[in-house]
Amino acid sequence: MKISELSQQSGVPIPTIKFYLREGLMAPGELVKARESAYGTSHLRRLRLIRGLIQVTGASIEQVRQLLDIIQTPDQSAIEVVGRASVALSSRQAGSVPDWSGQDTAATEALLDRLGVEYMAGSANVRMLAGALDLAEQVGLPSTDEQLAAYVRAAREAARADFGRIPWEDPGEAAEWAVLGTVLYEPVLAVLRRLAHSELAGWIERDGEPGTGAGR
Amino acid sequence: MKISELSQQSGVPIPTIKFYLREGLMAPGELVKARESAYGTSHLRRLRLIRGLIQVTGASIEQVRQLLDIIQTPDQSAIEVVGRASVALSSRQAGSVPDWSGQDTAATEALLDRLGVEYMAGSANVRMLAGALDLAEQVGLPSTDEQLAAYVRAAREAARADFGRIPWEDPGEAAEWAVLGTVLYEPVLAVLRRLAHSELAGWIERDGEPGTGAGR
């Protein structure tokens, strides 16, 4: 398709597409005439990914480039690319969360050991977790192992559902799911937890107990 | 205690404490001399709450005031105040999430009905959820009912653990947990989900299957 069609189908303005092409975020189209290139579904998918990353995570062009580099490294299995994308994303700061770069992680790593969670020592994810837990403790709302064990079960339940949605047969698409899905579905889980709080409060008010989860 | 001790124990500078007092975010201390007031643990707890809200949610003074109004409404049970605080928080935007105020919620409400989740039609939580799901669909990563059913189970598991931590015998403290705990533990669950993604990827790479969760 022509760049005008690519723009129409993706909803991305032509000058923006040209900017992404100049920045090397997308492969050039196939040259069909002196000043005309043809674009395909791979370009459409790439545009979708770039726009999604910028819209959802507020990523900079530079951060988008890093993630794309991982996705398009040749000769990797889908699981490899998902794993690497997951690690790369973890080095980005989540939305409004403060910068945890100097965060001490020893206590949190001991905690993750107790909970039987696998992690990379000192990684950005572990630093973020340590920072969030420290802040909770500072304001007088420390976590307990019991509470966090439930969180780990919840996180794994959600993660398994995510993996069930990944189109493993296509490493390229699998990587897009891994990158975009990680950030897109974070607010979904957060809102559902808030709804669950309201549900629980309602159940307690009506029944005097928070429900056992049976049938719920 | 004197305001200087209050400042020392809370880590909040005296001018900031005076600002909160002028803005009516804290009750005045007990007047002991012409120009000296005494402050107690309730003031310390209030400072902790205000600072936590501002630090974690980036709430404005006006938003803090609204939440405090709910918490300090007299004659409510702990469960009532937790329920109302949860609703009030839902009208705040989570971190980097866009503004969903004009969001159509019909499809999401039908979805929540199918999933058996209780909600208030058109509430800010439902709008946020609808916005997040719409965005996922727009970038080509639509959710499935099966995936979201797993998310609901995960969210309820986490919410139950949260409620297990709330000191119900003290409505004031219960409300603080409801308000601060909701926002403080969102990043904790989000990071644990990211760690679970890495775990799953590792398990698949080693064992060729994502694990059943037994013993994990």
Side-chain angles (χ1 to χ4, degrees):
Chain A
M1 69 186 106
K2 291 183 184 177
I3 195 165
S4 54
E5 289 171 75
L6 183 64
S7 168
Q8 216 170 6
Q9 285 204 32
S10 64
V12 179
I14 294 179
T16 308
I17 297 178
K18 286 188 172 166
F19 171 70
Y20 294 156
L21 286 166
R22 273 200 310 277
E23 288 288 317
L25 300 185
M26 290 169 65
E30 198 189 335
L31 209 64
V32 287
K33 287 187 203 158
R35 295 182 61 80
E36 193 185 310
S37 297
Y39 299 89
T41 51
S42 69
H43 292 94
L44 200 54
R45 217 171 68 188
R46 175 54 58 94
L47 275 178
R48 193 179 75 187
L49 179 64
I50 297 171
R51 299 304 282 180
L53 276 172
I54 292 173
Q55 212 176 336
V56 181
T57 70
S60 66
I61 293 293
E62 211 31 67
Q63 289 167 323
V64 170
R65 192 197 312 279
Q66 284 170 20
L67 280 165
L68 293 176
D69 280 348
I70 289 169
I71 293 177
Q72 56 208 13
T73 303
D75 296 325
Q76 7 175 42
S77 68
I79 190 67
E80 273 170 348
V81 74
V82 166
R84 292 186 62 210
S86 165
V87 169
L89 267 177
S90 81
S91 67
R92 285 196 21 74
Q93 297 303 327
S96 59
V97 177
D99 177 22
W100 307 121
S101 48
Q103 179 65 43
D104 179 44
T105 56
T108 298
E109 288 172 5
L111 168 76
L112 290 172
D113 287 337
R114 286 201 301 280
L115 295 172
V117 174
E118 295 178 20
Y119 60 91
M120 280 197 307
S123 69
N125 272 337
V126 173
R127 287 202 309 273
M128 268 175 68
L129 182 61
L133 293 176
D134 272 9
L135 187 57
E137 187 161 349
Q138 276 164 34
V139 300
L141 273 65
S143 61
T144 61
D145 278 21
E146 194 189 348
Q147 178 191 7
L148 292 181
Y151 269 54
V152 168
R153 285 193 300 274
R156 285 177 179 164
E157 171 109 45
R160 267 197 204 91
D162 297 331
F163 269 44
R165 293 289 288 131
I166 294 183
W168 294 104
E169 61 286 359
D170 181 337
E173 247 196 279
E176 288 179 20
W177 265 96
V179 172
L180 267 184
T182 296
V183 289
L184 276 168
Y185 283 94
E186 264 172 23
V188 172
L189 186 57
V191 176
L192 287 173
R193 172 170 163 266
R194 290 183 179 206
L195 287 175
H197 285 152
S198 301
E199 276 187 330
L200 276 176
W203 293 339
I204 295 175
E205 206 162 54
R206 275 203 308 270
D207 314 331
E209 48 88 33
T212 59
R216 280 173 170 165
Chain B
M1 69 187 106
K2 293 183 184 178
I3 195 166
S4 54
E5 287 170 76
L6 183 63
S7 167
Q8 216 171 6
Q9 285 204 32
S10 63
V12 179
I14 294 178
T16 308
I17 297 178
K18 287 187 171 166
F19 170 71
Y20 294 157
L21 286 165
R22 274 200 310 277
E23 289 287 318
L25 300 185
M26 290 170 64
E30 198 188 336
L31 209 62
V32 286
K33 287 188 204 158
R35 295 182 60 81
E36 193 184 312
S37 298
Y39 299 88
T41 51
S42 69
H43 292 94
L44 201 54
R45 217 171 68 188
R46 176 53 58 94
L47 275 178
R48 191 179 75 186
L49 180 63
I50 297 172
R51 298 305 282 181
L53 277 172
I54 292 174
Q55 212 177 337
V56 180
T57 71
S60 67
I61 293 294
E62 211 32 65
Q63 289 168 323
V64 170
R65 193 198 311 281
Q66 283 169 21
L67 280 165
L68 293 176
D69 281 348
I70 289 169
I71 293 177
Q72 55 208 12
T73 303
D75 296 325
Q76 4 173 44
S77 68
I79 191 69
E80 274 170 348
V81 73
V82 166
R84 293 187 61 209
S86 164
V87 169
L89 267 177
S90 81
S91 66
R92 284 196 22 75
Q93 298 301 328
S96 59
V97 177
D99 177 21
W100 307 120
S101 49
Q103 178 68 41
D104 180 43
T105 56
T108 298
E109 289 173 4
L111 169 76
L112 290 172
D113 287 337
R114 285 201 301 280
L115 295 173
V117 174
E118 295 178 20
Y119 61 92
M120 281 195 308
S123 69
N125 272 337
V126 174
R127 288 203 307 275
M128 266 175 69
L129 182 61
L133 293 176
D134 273 10
L135 187 57
E137 188 160 349
Q138 277 166 35
V139 301
L141 274 63
S143 62
T144 61
D145 278 19
E146 193 190 348
Q147 178 191 7
L148 292 181
Y151 269 55
V152 169
R153 286 194 298 274
R156 285 179 179 163
E157 172 110 43
R160 268 198 204 90
D162 296 331
F163 269 43
R165 294 288 289 130
I166 293 183
W168 294 103
E169 61 287 356
D170 181 336
E173 247 197 279
E176 289 179 19
W177 265 95
V179 172
L180 267 184
T182 295
V183 288
L184 276 168
Y185 283 93
E186 265 173 22
V188 172
L189 187 57
V191 176
L192 287 173
R193 172 169 162 267
R194 291 183 179 205
L195 286 176
H197 284 151
S198 300
E199 275 187 332
L200 276 175
W203 292 339
I204 295 175
E205 207 163 53
R206 277 203 307 270
D207 314 331
E209 48 89 34
T212 60
R216 279 172 171 167

Short mmCIF file of all heavy atoms in Angstrom, two decimals, chain A residues 12 24 44 62 64 82 85 90 108 130 136 153 174 188-189 206:
data_model
loop_
_atom_site.label_atom_id
_atom_site.label_comp_id
_atom_site.label_asym_id
_atom_site.label_seq_id
_atom_site.Cartn_x
_atom_site.Cartn_y
_atom_site.Cartn_z
N VAL A 12 -2.11 7.21 11.84
CA VAL A 12 -0.91 8.01 12.12
C VAL A 12 -0.67 8.96 10.94
O VAL A 12 -0.62 8.52 9.79
CB VAL A 12 0.31 7.09 12.32
CG1 VAL A 12 1.57 7.91 12.58
CG2 VAL A 12 0.07 6.11 13.47
N GLY A 24 14.57 5.54 11.84
CA GLY A 24 14.92 4.12 11.76
C GLY A 24 14.05 3.23 12.65
O GLY A 24 14.43 2.10 12.96
N LEU A 44 2.25 -1.71 9.23
CA LEU A 44 1.05 -1.35 9.98
C LEU A 44 1.21 -1.81 11.43
O LEU A 44 0.92 -1.08 12.38
CB LEU A 44 -0.16 -2.03 9.32
CG LEU A 44 -1.54 -1.47 9.61
CD1 LEU A 44 -1.63 0.00 9.30
CD2 LEU A 44 -2.59 -2.25 8.80
N GLU A 62 13.73 7.38 22.05
CA GLU A 62 14.93 6.60 22.37
C GLU A 62 14.57 5.29 23.06
O GLU A 62 15.14 4.23 22.77
CB GLU A 62 15.87 7.45 23.26
CG GLU A 62 17.32 7.16 23.08
CD GLU A 62 17.68 6.70 21.67
OE1 GLU A 62 17.58 7.48 20.69
OE2 GLU A 62 18.05 5.53 21.54
N VAL A 64 11.65 3.74 22.86
CA VAL A 64 10.98 2.91 21.86
C VAL A 64 12.03 2.18 21.02
O VAL A 64 11.93 0.98 20.76
CB VAL A 64 10.06 3.76 20.95
CG1 VAL A 64 9.57 2.94 19.77
CG2 VAL A 64 8.88 4.31 21.74
N VAL A 82 10.44 -12.61 24.50
CA VAL A 82 9.52 -12.19 25.56
C VAL A 82 10.30 -11.95 26.85
O VAL A 82 10.10 -10.95 27.54
CB VAL A 82 8.41 -13.25 25.78
CG1 VAL A 82 7.66 -12.99 27.07
CG2 VAL A 82 7.43 -13.23 24.60
N ALA A 85 12.40 -8.74 26.43
CA ALA A 85 11.55 -7.55 26.43
C ALA A 85 11.08 -7.24 27.85
O ALA A 85 11.03 -6.08 28.27
CB ALA A 85 10.35 -7.75 25.51
N SER A 90 11.47 -3.56 32.45
CA SER A 90 11.62 -3.38 33.89
C SER A 90 12.58 -2.25 34.20
O SER A 90 12.61 -1.74 35.30
CB SER A 90 12.09 -4.67 34.54
OG SER A 90 13.49 -4.80 34.37
N THR A 108 14.38 -6.81 50.45
CA THR A 108 13.38 -7.27 49.48
C THR A 108 13.82 -8.57 48.83
O THR A 108 12.99 -9.45 48.56
CB THR A 108 13.14 -6.18 48.42
OG1 THR A 108 12.61 -5.03 49.07
CG2 THR A 108 12.15 -6.65 47.37
N ALA A 130 11.32 -2.89 46.08
CA ALA A 130 11.90 -2.48 47.36
C ALA A 130 11.47 -1.05 47.71
O ALA A 130 11.12 -0.75 48.85
CB ALA A 130 13.43 -2.58 47.29
N ALA A 136 5.70 2.17 51.80
CA ALA A 136 4.55 1.71 52.58
C ALA A 136 4.92 1.64 54.06
O ALA A 136 4.13 2.02 54.93
CB ALA A 136 4.08 0.34 52.06
N ARG A 153 0.61 -14.97 44.50
CA ARG A 153 -0.35 -15.88 43.86
C ARG A 153 -1.19 -15.13 42.83
O ARG A 153 -1.41 -15.60 41.72
CB ARG A 153 -1.28 -16.51 44.92
CG ARG A 153 -0.62 -17.60 45.75
CD ARG A 153 -1.65 -18.40 46.54
NE ARG A 153 -2.44 -17.59 47.48
CZ ARG A 153 -2.07 -17.29 48.73
NH1 ARG A 153 -0.91 -17.74 49.20
NH2 ARG A 153 -2.84 -16.57 49.52
N ALA A 174 4.66 -12.17 19.29
CA ALA A 174 4.78 -12.54 20.70
C ALA A 174 5.51 -11.43 21.46
O ALA A 174 5.14 -11.06 22.57
CB ALA A 174 5.53 -13.86 20.84
N VAL A 188 -5.47 -2.34 34.08
CA VAL A 188 -6.66 -3.21 34.15
C VAL A 188 -6.67 -3.96 35.48
O VAL A 188 -7.68 -3.97 36.19
CB VAL A 188 -6.67 -4.21 32.95
CG1 VAL A 188 -7.78 -5.23 33.11
CG2 VAL A 188 -6.81 -3.46 31.64
N LEU A 189 -5.53 -4.54 35.82
CA LEU A 189 -5.45 -5.28 37.07
C LEU A 189 -5.64 -4.34 38.28
O LEU A 189 -6.33 -4.68 39.24
CB LEU A 189 -4.10 -6.01 37.16
CG LEU A 189 -3.90 -6.96 38.34
CD1 LEU A 189 -4.98 -8.04 38.38
CD2 LEU A 189 -2.51 -7.61 38.29
N ARG A 206 -23.18 -6.20 54.01
CA ARG A 206 -24.42 -6.97 53.88
C ARG A 206 -24.41 -8.23 54.73
O ARG A 206 -25.36 -8.54 55.42
CB ARG A 206 -24.64 -7.37 52.42
CG ARG A 206 -25.31 -6.30 51.58
CD ARG A 206 -25.97 -6.93 50.37
NE ARG A 206 -25.06 -7.79 49.62
CZ ARG A 206 -24.28 -7.36 48.62
NH1 ARG A 206 -24.32 -6.11 48.26
NH2 ARG A 206 -23.51 -8.21 47.99
#
